[in-house]
Amino acid sequence: MPIGAVPEELLAATERTVVEWFPFDPYRLPPLPMPPSAWQPERGQYESVTIMKALAAACPPDAARLLGLTTADIAIPMLSFLFGQAQFNGPIALVSVSRLRQDFYGLEPDHDLLLERLAKEVLHELGHTSGLIHCADPQCAMSLSTHVGLVDAKQASFCAVCGSQLVRRLTSSNG
Amino acid sequence: MKNIWQILVVDDEEVMCESMAAWLREDGYRVDTASRGKQAVEMAAQTDYAIYFIDLKMPGGMDGIETLMEIHRIHPEASVVIITAYATVDTAIQAMKEGAQEYIVKPCNPQEISMLVSRIIKVKNLQRENAILRKKLTRQYNYRDIITKNARMQDILQLTQDIASLRSTVLIRGESGTGKELVARAIHFSGDRSTKPFITVSCAALTETLLETELFGYEKGSFTGAGAQTKGKFELANGGTIFLDEIGDISPKLQADLLRVLQERAFYRVGGSEEVRVDVRVIAATHKDLQQAIRDGNFRDDLYYRLNVIEIRIPPLRERREDIPLLADHLLERIAREFGKEIASVSEGAMRMLMDYDWPGNVRELENAIERACVTTRTRVLAEADFAFLEREVSARRAWSVPAGMPLEEIERRAIIATLERTSGNIKEAAAALKIDRSTLYDKLKRYEITR
Ligand SMILES: [Zn+2]
Ligand SMILES: [Zn+2]
């Protein structure tokens, strides 16, 4: 689900990633307006918990997961920024592309690189919704990225350990 | 392992508490929150948290510093991190005097806090490990982590001692996961270079250019991004040993460069004209058949003879099956401790299974298998069922015996899970391997999935 205006290609790329890795049929909800109360004028950023709550309120009962995608720069009180946030073992996830763009860092825009980073963060946050925690393998999508260089060090795939945990979580018949 | 550690976040602002807790949970910690200092102290009386994050300014009687002092009264060793806004940094310094371990100014950057947390947890892990070690009689293991009663392995260990103080180049051959680096370390740390650096380079992991700069370093401005002169691994290893893993994978150009280092004990930094002289012992390793590579024209024979002054061939685990129980017990003890789980042993049946398995990935695969079993088991003894995934791999590789009488649905379910495990969860690839389309695989997954 886009939050505010999100370019079509980013939404399409997100759907491709979901299709490749998760047993969900993605469908798009109409854009959710950014909740005005999320705006933090003193920080020039949007508060992620408020957005997550708005997403949860908009989550259709039959949806396995709800992934919000935003171009806004997001943060929580404790941290200066986030690439994304997820409900651990819950349906809601949020990814911000703001700091995945080269131009955020004053560099030449790089569209392919942006799509690659987006795929990694989508896997990462959806991994959390399936109960995966951060992985020590720096190439694994579940490794923690505290800056964009670490996003680039990852691959858009899970390591064997996280991959098999994910499969077990998604397929186990007894929980 | 992280999940044994609990963290308490104390802040009157709910959004602050919840978002911080959520972030830490994603990192694998168990996190509780408290909105009042008094509540935090009550919780601390019940549970000894590994870290307390406490907001300095809280209304309702007890502020951050008072809370800190109360918690220290209960747990004098507690790690308390005081959270503060810019305006109150002075008070935070006051908090440090009262025994706070650290303070952070919010909002802080994710890297800072992630490093802070791992720094504290690392110390906690060490303290815990020491405590366990003190309780137990430390068993002495042979030659730094190589555990064996196999005659050939014992010969190898003897050889590592005999050649430890020579400068001769050593070539270690063995399948992946056999412990080539452990043998290299045993040589280095038993010899007169043991107080000097032991530097490892995995040649397969890097492209030609990267490997070249990694090995030999570079001069300032030798390529874009070369900001300052940087030492390569050969220089860093000066006086000690360099371990070149996967030597069979290096390019012809680097083979020539390496030959020169071995012959002349000197090289040039990338982009440099000044010769750098080093005293480095080279230990190389490969899982490849280098003689075959020479015949194929992919490896220089002169380099091969330079490297192969002393050759050590480590047998694969399936040729030293008598070591499997020893290794399994040793690994189990270590892994269970890391996980904070009480797992006492491997059952007899499971051990028989481990001894029968072929271990294409050798000791490393055994280690992974035990780790995996420790994660999933719910009992104190690892049983055959905990190693069921090995059966799956065996049956995939060997002739497959039909599980007669098993419900078709169960057979299908297992086949899907096994395939998905092989593709690390990639549904597209799994569907292709199973020769069904994605949507069919979805339907089947949905049928077996627990809806949540
Ligand atoms: Zn994460
Ligand atoms: Zn992983």
Side-chain angles (χ1 to χ4, degrees):
Chain A
M1 172 197 263
I3 299 159
V6 177
E8 163 61 29
E9 345 159 70
L10 297 184
L11 295 170
T14 304
E15 286 175 353
R16 281 198 302 276
T17 307
V18 172
V19 165
E20 184 156 347
W21 288 92
F22 290 87
F24 313 134
D25 285 316
Y27 61 95
R28 240 178 259 184
L29 296 172
L32 178 80
M34 177 62 85
S37 57
W39 175 243
Q40 311 250 288
E42 70 284 5
R43 293 180 56 171
Q45 290 177 309
Y46 290 87
E47 205 285 302
S48 176
V49 178
T50 312
I51 307 176
M52 293 286 285
K53 281 191 182 142
L55 281 172
C59 184
D62 62 331
R65 301 285 191 276
L66 178 64
L67 173 68
L69 195 60
T70 177
T71 56
D73 191 16
I74 59 171
I76 54 174
M78 193 60 211
L79 296 176
S80 53
F81 72 91
L82 291 173
F83 292 123
Q85 206 187 352
Q87 237 175 15
F88 195 66
N89 266 323
I92 313 294
L94 170 65
V95 171
S96 158
V97 296
S98 170
R99 287 175 193 250
L100 301 177
R101 331 181 79 105
Q102 285 290 76
D103 28 325
F104 183 91
Y105 306 94
L107 301 168
E108 277 294 294
D110 185 334
H111 190 66
D112 293 344
L113 184 60
L114 171 62
L115 294 187
E116 214 180 292
R117 289 171 176 170
L118 174 61
K120 295 170 187 178
E121 289 313 298
V122 166
L123 288 185
H124 183 100
E125 297 309 337
L126 288 178
H128 281 320
T129 63
S130 303
L132 296 189
I133 61 168
H134 289 150
C135 175
D137 178 350
Q139 298 204 344
C140 174
M142 287 318 293
S143 74
L144 168 67
S145 302
T146 51
H147 57 83
V148 78
L150 292 176
V151 179
D152 290 340
K154 301 198 267 201
Q155 300 189 342
S157 58
F158 298 104
C159 73
V161 178
C162 292
S164 75
Q165 255 175 41
L166 180 68
V167 169
R168 222 170 304 149
R169 294 255 154 80
L170 290 172
T171 55
S172 66
S173 46
N174 51 13
Chain B
M1 210 50 195
K2 290 171 172 175
N3 55 20
I4 55 167
W5 296 115
Q6 283 179 267
I7 296 177
L8 182 65
V9 181
V10 189
D11 197 308
D12 57 300
E13 244 185 286
E14 195 203 327
V15 170
M16 163 69 207
C17 266
E18 276 316 311
S19 59
M20 179 75 181
W23 194 80
L24 290 165
R25 281 184 196 120
E26 290 177 2
D27 221 18
Y29 298 103
R30 284 153 60 198
V31 192
D32 292 329
T33 61
S35 59
R36 290 281 180 275
K38 193 163 168 284
Q39 187 194 358
V41 174
E42 280 162 14
M43 290 171 81
Q46 302 291 321
T47 312
D48 185 11
Y49 293 91
I51 308 179
Y52 299 82
F53 283 99
I54 304 177
D55 191 23
L56 192 57
K57 281 178 89 177
M58 280 184 295
M62 214 184 231
D63 71 5
I65 293 188
E66 286 166 330
T67 311
L68 156 77
M69 289 162 75
E70 280 301 312
I71 287 173
H72 268 169
R73 204 159 298 157
I74 309 171
H75 304 291
E77 310 267 282
S79 294
V80 177
V81 179
I82 289 288
I83 304 170
T84 166
Y86 277 106
T88 48
V89 167
D90 285 351
T91 343
I93 292 164
Q94 172 69 29
M96 300 289 283
K97 291 199 187 113
E98 297 296 342
Q101 187 163 357
E102 312 251 359
Y103 74 89
I104 39 177
V105 178
K106 73 179 166 185
C108 77
N109 115 11
Q111 173 146 30
E112 207 179 311
I113 185 155
S114 129
M115 276 164 55
L116 171 77
V117 171
S118 58
R119 196 164 62 229
I120 296 177
I121 293 296
K122 202 179 268 172
V123 174
K124 299 265 166 194
N125 273 330
L126 273 177
Q127 288 170 346
R128 189 162 170 276
E129 193 150 313
N130 285 341
I132 292 171
L133 284 178
R134 249 178 276 123
K135 255 183 262 162
K136 267 185 194 172
L137 273 177
T138 31
R139 249 188 277 162
Q140 200 61 54
Y141 291 112
N142 295 338
Y143 297 101
R144 306 165 205 276
D145 295 337
I146 303 176
I147 295 155
T148 188
K149 55 179 184 183
N150 171 276
R152 249 166 80 202
M153 283 301 287
Q154 280 172 352
D155 287 347
I156 290 175
L157 289 176
Q158 184 55 51
L159 180 64
T160 63
Q161 305 307 297
D162 295 344
I163 63 173
S165 288
L166 308 178
R167 207 177 74 168
S168 325
T169 306
V170 182
L171 180 63
I172 303 175
R173 289 173 48 202
E175 293 177 6
S176 61
T178 45
K180 297 188 283 288
E181 182 167 348
L182 282 182
V183 170
R185 283 179 183 276
I187 296 171
H188 173 83
F189 287 104
S190 309
D192 50 17
R193 290 172 180 260
S194 62
T195 56
K196 297 287 166 50
F198 176 87
I199 304 274
T200 299
V201 182
S202 173
C203 300
L206 300 168
T207 62
E208 175 175 336
T209 349
L210 274 178
L211 183 57
E212 191 180 2
T213 52
E214 176 96 354
L215 289 174
F216 304 120
Y218 52 82
E219 294 292 345
K220 183 178 175 177
S222 55
F223 54 88
T224 5
Q229 188 204 65
T230 299
K231 284 185 180 171
K233 294 283 167 85
F234 267 105
E235 267 178 280
L236 294 175
N238 199 9
T241 305
I242 191 165
F243 175 60
L244 302 173
D245 201 5
E246 301 304 353
I247 194 80
D249 292 320
I250 65 173
S251 69
K253 171 168 187 311
L254 279 172
Q255 291 180 26
D257 291 346
L258 199 54
L259 181 63
R260 187 168 180 280
V261 182
L262 290 175
Q263 283 168 338
E264 302 177 17
R265 306 273 154 191
F267 60 88
Y268 297 99
R269 295 191 194 99
V270 174
S273 52
E274 181 200 340
E275 205 179 46
V276 183
R277 304 205 65 82
V278 284
D279 163 33
V280 172
R281 179 184 205 173
V282 176
I283 302 180
T286 181
H287 69 278
K288 288 192 172 162
D289 180 354
L290 288 185
Q291 277 160 322
Q292 185 58 44
I294 292 171
R295 281 193 291 277
D296 296 341
N298 295 326
F299 204 84
R300 299 175 66 119
D301 56 352
D302 45 3
L303 176 58
Y304 175 74
Y305 292 114
R306 279 277 169 185
L307 289 173
N308 199 26
V309 177
I310 299 167
E311 187 190 75
I312 296 178
R313 198 187 83 82
I314 308 180
L317 189 52
R318 62 183 170 281
E319 289 176 19
R320 40 182 280 227
R321 288 186 196 271
E322 68 269 38
D323 283 345
I324 292 175
L326 282 175
L327 285 163
D329 284 342
H330 169 71
L331 293 167
L332 174 64
E333 190 181 322
R334 201 199 69 209
I335 292 166
R337 190 170 66 223
E338 278 172 17
F339 284 21
K341 274 194 165 183
E342 273 198 31
I343 303 171
S345 60
V346 178
S347 78
E348 243 184 82
M351 195 64 95
R352 218 173 302 124
M353 230 174 119
L354 298 183
M355 288 190 69
D356 286 343
Y357 183 66
D358 263 350
W359 302 109
N362 293 297
V363 183
R364 194 176 306 139
E365 186 184 5
L366 175 62
E367 186 176 352
N368 291 343
I370 290 179
E371 190 171 316
R372 192 165 156 184
C374 285
V375 169
T376 47
T377 191
R378 294 202 183 90
T379 57
R380 294 190 69 242
V381 176
L382 295 182
E384 280 151 277
D386 295 315
F387 292 99
F389 55 91
L390 287 179
E391 290 276 25
R392 275 206 290 276
E393 270 155 53
V394 169
S395 57
R397 221 173 299 119
R398 291 209 195 120
W400 187 59
S401 67
V402 181
M406 185 185 283
L408 272 181
E409 200 163 80
E410 183 58 21
I411 293 176
E412 184 175 88
R413 190 179 149 258
R414 289 189 186 189
I416 291 173
I417 292 179
T419 311
L420 277 168
E421 287 192 342
R422 181 142 357 128
T423 65
S424 294
N426 189 312
I427 291 196
K428 227 170 160 181
E429 279 176 29
L434 293 166
K435 295 220 165 104
I436 53 177
D437 43 76
R438 219 195 99 241
S439 54
T440 314
L441 180 56
Y442 273 17
D443 291 342
K444 294 185 186 302
L445 282 172
K446 260 179 214 148
R447 203 180 322 141
Y448 304 129
E449 185 191 9
I450 176 163
T451 35
R452 240 193 77 93

